Amino acid sequence: MTDPTTPSSGWPDLARRDLGGAVVWANDEAFAARQNLVAPGPPVFDPTTFGPNGKVYDGWETRRRREPGEDVAVVRLAVPAIVHDLAVDTSFFTGNYPPEVAVDGLGLDGTRHELLAVSPVKGDTVNVFAVRCRYPVSEVRLRILPDGGVARLRVYGQAAPDPALVDALGVVDVASLELGGRVTDCSDRFYSSPENLLLPGPARSMGEGWETARRRDDGHDRVEIALACEATIAVAELDTSWFLHNAPARAGLRGRTAGGVWHELLPRTDLTPDTRHRFVLGDVPPVDAVRLDIHPDGGLARLRLHGRPTAAGRAALVARRSGPTPEDTP
């Protein structure tokens, strides 16, 4: 099932471990390890599990403070990003959650930016906060006041990759979460999130892809993706690895131009189960969004859209990396 912490804004979590996020430091993890904060799935709880340090929690938990202060964990994002939402998930922490939290971010120039002022949180709750800061940050610092446990920290935003790196690579996967691609619409998330399509690396099981429920009507399923920037796509990769008996029978791709017109990039094409398909698209216009239609339903492991950013697309990457101009700042 889709992680219930995802806010309605739809930005991806760029702190998650399977994307490359990591908890690089914490001042205390006496009861539960800091790396649990960025585990990709929702937290779980077993009331019977106890370890040598006490109750085992799927989260980060510090010891009881007997002096003034606060506890801190530092999370390196998978890629520098403009943060739009934060979720401080205290699931299963009922008598040992922190009453207040705060979050700041480290800017690319070393400046600290406040993402969330000291704010109250509830126990056993996904506490979601909107963020107003529009400077890209490479890491975030979670402060819990004074101590306690947090199951997950989700940092939702848009990746701000280095344009020089994109230039050096030439052809890049412009749907990648690491570059700023994101899912904007999806017909069905029954078994797993469509964001899995855009994760780096190959899927290691069927559970790491996107899978829909079985259709009992004449329709079909789809997912729409905003690209990292406007680009001309040269090769589309539709990977059905691990989907042995539930891959789509066929799939097609359409792309949206900057003027809002949708063009066919790949006509409806037969797919083979458990196979990585690569299609050369030929002469297609630059697009800033792509819609994948699968017929009638099923699952894919990954979707890659290899292309070159246009001049306008590269300019958008530069602007995102630079942060807001003075007139953009409230």
Side-chain angles (χ1 to χ4, degrees), residues 171-231:
V171 174
V172 295
D173 177 11
V174 289
S176 163
L177 293 176
E178 294 177 293
L179 293 185
R182 68 175 179 126
V183 173
T184 54
D185 189 29
C186 182
S187 62
D188 189 295
R189 302 167 180 257
F190 188 84
Y191 285 111
S192 48
S193 171
E195 279 187 359
N196 291 345
L197 292 170
L198 312 183
L199 288 172
R204 295 170 297 178
S205 71
M206 192 175 71
E208 293 188 357
W210 168 54
E211 183 181 1
T212 72
R214 298 189 187 204
R215 277 195 169 264
R216 305 303 187 190
D217 56 25
D218 295 330
H220 69 277
D221 288 317
R222 68 189 186 282
V223 60
E224 189 172 311
I225 296 154
L227 303 183
C229 64
E230 183 186 71

Side-chain angles (χ1 to χ4, degrees), residues 11-12 14 77 79-85 115 131-137 155-160 319-324:
W11 294 102
L14 296 174
L77 302 182
V79 62
I82 299 169
V83 180
H84 291 277
D85 299 280
L115 304 182
V131 174
R132 292 180 57 83
C133 176
R134 290 297 173 262
Y135 290 93
V137 298
V155 183
Y156 298 104
Q158 186 175 26
R320 193 186 312 158
R321 183 84 171 186
S322 302

Side-chain angles (χ1 to χ4, degrees), residues 9-297:
S9 62
W11 294 102
D13 173 19
L14 296 174
R16 54 190 284 177
R17 182 68 178 175
D18 57 352
L19 186 58
V23 186
V24 296
W25 183 83
N27 70 307
D28 188 308
E29 47 186 333
F31 284 112
R34 65 182 191 263
Q35 291 296 348
N36 291 332
L37 282 172
V38 296
V44 296
F45 182 73
D46 182 347
T48 67
T49 54
F50 285 83
N53 291 338
K55 182 73 190 75
V56 175
Y57 278 92
D58 183 10
W60 170 53
E61 186 184 6
T62 68
R63 72 194 75 203
R64 299 183 188 224
R65 277 192 168 270
R66 303 306 187 195
E67 69 285 327
E70 61 187 32
D71 291 323
V72 179
V74 177
V75 177
R76 184 194 66 229
L77 302 182
V79 62
I82 299 169
V83 180
H84 291 277
D85 299 280
L86 295 164
V88 180
D89 184 354
T90 58
S91 292
F92 307 113
F93 289 96
T94 55
N96 51 351
Y97 64 92
E100 295 180 312
V101 302
V103 180
D104 58 36
L106 181 67
L108 301 179
D109 61 356
T111 303
R112 284 277 172 188
H113 300 286
E114 181 180 82
L115 304 182
L116 175 66
V118 174
S119 302
V121 294
K122 297 179 180 179
D124 198 23
T125 300
V126 179
N127 301 271
V128 178
F129 303 94
V131 174
R132 292 180 57 83
C133 176
R134 290 297 173 262
Y135 290 93
V137 298
S138 59
E139 67 179 35
V140 299
R141 180 172 60 181
L142 170 65
R143 300 160 51 210
I144 60 174
L145 296 87
D147 56 36
V150 174
R152 298 286 189 269
L153 176 66
R154 304 301 191 196
V155 183
Y156 298 104
Q158 186 175 26
D162 185 351
L165 177 62
V166 175
D167 291 343
L169 291 171
V171 174
V172 295
D173 177 11
V174 289
S176 163
L177 293 176
E178 294 177 293
L179 293 185
R182 68 175 179 126
V183 173
T184 54
D185 189 29
C186 182
S187 62
D188 189 295
R189 302 167 180 257
F190 188 84
Y191 285 111
S192 48
S193 171
E195 279 187 359
N196 291 345
L197 292 170
L198 312 183
L199 288 172
R204 295 170 297 178
S205 71
M206 192 175 71
E208 293 188 357
W210 168 54
E211 183 181 1
T212 72
R214 298 189 187 204
R215 277 195 169 264
R216 305 303 187 190
D217 56 25
D218 295 330
H220 69 277
D221 288 317
R222 68 189 186 282
V223 60
E224 189 172 311
I225 296 154
L227 303 183
C229 64
E230 183 186 71
T232 303
I233 302 171
V235 175
E237 185 176 310
L238 279 62
D239 185 356
T240 60
S241 294
W242 301 102
F243 288 89
L244 300 173
H245 309 292
N246 50 0
R250 290 165 295 281
L253 291 169
R254 291 191 294 161
R256 186 187 67 195
T257 65
V261 178
W262 288 88
H263 291 265
E264 184 176 80
L265 304 180
L266 177 71
R268 191 183 304 187
T269 302
D270 291 342
L271 297 182
T272 303
D274 197 26
T275 299
R276 185 167 59 173
H277 307 77
R278 289 172 172 158
F279 302 102
V280 177
L281 299 188
D283 185 17
V284 296
V287 295
D288 58 17
V290 165
R291 173 170 156 165
L292 167 67
D293 292 286
I294 61 172
H295 300 269
D297 56 31

